[in-house]
Amino acid sequence: MTARSVLVIHAGARSALLARVGPRVGHYASARLGILPTPPSRLHATLAVAAQEAAFAYEPPPLSSSTGTRDERETILDALSGTRPSISCVYLYDAQGSQLFEKICDTEEYYLTRVEDSLLRSSADALLCFSGEDAQRGAGLKLPPMAWVECSAGNGQKVAPLILKSAELRDTTYVPLDVSASALAVNASRFAGLPSSNKLSVCPLVGTNEQGLSAASKLDARKTFMMLGSSLGNYTHPHTELEMIAQHMGPTDRLLVGVDTPPTAEGSGGKTEAEVVAAYNDAQGVTSAFTLNALAHVNRVAGTDFDLADFRHVSEWCPERSAIVAHVEAVRNVRVTSRARVSAAARSDGKPVREVLRLRAGERIFMEQSAKFSLVRMELTAKLAGMRVRRHWMAQRNFYLIVECELEER
């Protein structure tokens, strides 16, 4: 057994570091754990949505780009001050938020993690190989190196068995991407203590998917990009997120996408609307704490004075969007202020804070959507992104879907 430490790279320094990592047999990239704050990149695309997808569209104000052309705090405050106040879902995931999300995944109501995990395990043999590699594997021939690049990776629980199996077959590199440094530290720890003969390199990247993909695409191996956990459903226009990934794919690469499916008609024996709604409203109140924690995160970043006791978590099924939509709702009349918007002159005049928004009881702030995808909708979304669905795997009762996409130009 070999002693192993964790390499977590700040996305701002990604290219040079990743270029040196590469897929190295039996090596776990080692360095001191050091995390730097990363301004969030644009998570909600502002491009025009295709007509076929318009029914699902809701456009909260965009986040600032990773170029830093607008101050992060001002961007948060602008979104809160708009006609439809919103907070980007990136602020759900500080250290506390990441811990709460892992607890959500363990609740009885949150079926998504369990069903996806079961589907990944039952489909592992097919997922481990690219189309056309079955003959090589069957003949006992050595398979070429593969890099697994996981967007919004979280703690890695769902893919760790798949990555370890891959390392038994070929030289394997795993690059998890996530905005949460604490989640990536847990992710990387899953692979600690492997024997030195193991053909696995692990290189976590802290930052948004957009920031990390450019670096990961430079790895010298055929790549399997992954977007699991139904995270695609959090994007306003999911085809633009897939299009962004496609821009970093080579002609022999692929993309695995795991998505939650919509409820089926009553009496069909499939998933019910009640089961979908319950997954986002657990009886223990963990999801509520998760959503409200974003207000505390915004207080730290933007100097606001949200009182969590003034709000409640609301998640509802929206059939028009085929999505669960989450808000925080004021339980009484609320005035939110911020110190971040006060000029030095105003402070000298005895005005230490500036008003950001006022809400009456029952008014809401948009937090997140969790869209659901049928196979037909997933095929359409891939097509809009310049890809096609080559293979797919469906869980029992049509509870969950994994698709394999490739570039259309092949």
Side-chain angles (χ1 to χ4, degrees):
M1 307 293 280
T2 57
R4 297 164 189 267
S5 55
V6 179
L7 172 63
V8 182
I9 300 174
H10 175 245
R14 60 197 184 276
S15 298
L17 284 167
L18 264 175
R20 293 199 298 269
V21 172
R24 290 172 288 181
V25 175
H27 181 76
Y28 186 93
S30 300
R32 181 176 63 86
L33 177 61
I35 309 302
L36 299 176
T38 303
S41 181
R42 172 179 55 83
L43 290 183
H44 303 290
T46 54
L47 302 176
V49 66
Q52 298 99 315
E53 206 178 12
F56 306 111
Y58 163 60
E59 190 70 64
L63 285 174
S64 60
S65 71
S66 57
T67 61
T69 55
R70 297 187 66 195
D71 180 80
E72 180 184 358
R73 291 178 298 182
E74 285 299 311
T75 305
I76 294 171
L77 299 175
D78 285 346
L80 287 169
S81 302
T83 55
R84 301 175 76 175
S86 67
I87 293 174
S88 168
C89 60
V90 83
Y91 296 105
L92 293 165
Y93 296 97
D94 59 357
Q96 174 72 1
S98 294
Q99 291 173 10
L100 287 168
F101 181 72
E102 300 311 328
K103 290 182 180 179
I104 289 172
C105 294
D106 291 334
T107 61
E108 180 181 351
E109 297 90 342
Y110 197 79
Y111 60 83
L112 286 80
T113 304
R114 294 189 298 274
V115 176
E116 184 181 57
D117 179 68
S118 176
L119 186 56
L120 285 169
R121 290 176 184 273
S122 64
S123 309
D125 281 347
L127 293 169
L128 283 169
C129 294
F130 291 94
S131 297
E133 286 187 335
D134 292 342
Q136 287 177 267
R137 185 180 177 187
L141 300 176
K142 180 178 174 61
L143 297 177
M146 184 193 294
W148 299 79
V149 182
E150 186 180 8
C151 299
S152 306
N155 71 5
Q157 180 178 357
K158 56 184 174 286
V159 301
L162 198 63
I163 301 302
L164 292 172
K165 283 187 177 181
S166 175
E168 294 173 3
L169 297 174
R170 62 174 100 213
D171 295 349
T172 296
T173 302
Y174 174 47
V175 184
L177 314 176
D178 205 280
V179 296
S180 172
S182 58
L184 285 180
V186 174
N187 187 316
S189 70
R190 295 183 185 280
F191 304 98
L194 295 176
S196 58
S197 59
N198 196 280
K199 304 174 182 179
L200 176 63
S201 300
V202 179
C203 185
L205 264 177
V206 178
T208 63
N209 294 335
E210 189 173 8
Q211 290 171 320
L213 284 168
S214 177
S217 66
K218 295 178 174 62
L219 288 168
D220 186 20
R222 197 175 183 185
K223 286 170 281 296
T224 293
F225 294 87
M226 295 182 288
M227 177 168 274
L228 302 173
S230 202
S231 56
L232 183 66
N234 298 143
Y235 293 90
T236 305
H237 304 311
H239 77 276
T240 61
E241 187 67 13
L242 294 189
E243 188 175 38
M244 185 265 290
I245 298 172
Q247 290 171 357
H248 299 284
M249 291 172 61
T252 63
D253 296 336
R254 64 174 179 168
L255 169 65
L256 298 178
V257 185
V259 290
D260 193 20
T261 52
T264 54
E266 244 181 88
S268 66
K271 183 194 302 184
T272 66
E273 182 179 320
E275 286 173 307
V276 176
V277 172
Y280 299 87
N281 294 278
D282 63 278
Q284 299 176 54
V286 183
T287 309
S288 175
F290 171 72
T291 305
L292 292 172
N293 178 68
L295 301 181
H297 190 182
V298 166
N299 281 347
R300 295 195 304 274
V301 175
T304 49
D305 59 355
F306 281 105
D307 184 341
L308 276 59
D310 289 338
F311 294 88
R312 71 182 185 102
H313 156 84
V314 179
S315 282
E316 300 170 323
W317 174 248
C318 179
E320 295 80 13
R321 297 184 207 165
S322 188
I324 288 285
V325 181
H327 294 84
V328 290
E329 181 180 281
V331 297
R332 58 185 66 88
N333 294 345
V334 174
R335 177 177 179 259
V336 178
T337 65
S338 171
R339 296 179 181 275
R341 270 198 170 154
V342 181
S343 65
R347 289 192 188 97
S348 65
D349 289 340
K351 299 176 181 177
V353 297
R354 183 176 295 184
E355 183 173 289
V356 177
L357 81 161
R358 286 178 182 263
L359 295 172
R360 293 189 294 271
E363 292 185 327
R364 299 176 175 183
I365 300 172
F366 173 81
M367 301 297 293
E368 184 178 40
Q369 72 167 14
S370 300
K372 311 303 175 184
F373 295 81
S374 64
L375 177 58
V376 171
R377 184 181 177 188
M378 197 61 234
E379 289 173 332
L380 170 61
T381 303
K383 185 174 181 61
L384 291 171
M387 292 189 282
R388 63 186 174 195
V389 173
R390 184 180 180 92
R391 295 185 289 176
H392 75 274
W393 299 266
M394 183 74 79
Q396 290 184 348
R397 292 180 62 203
N398 292 333
F399 246 68
Y400 204 86
L401 172 66
I402 295 175
V403 298
E404 179 189 65
C405 301
E406 62 184 15
L407 297 177
E408 274 195 323
E409 291 89 13
R410 278 188 177 180

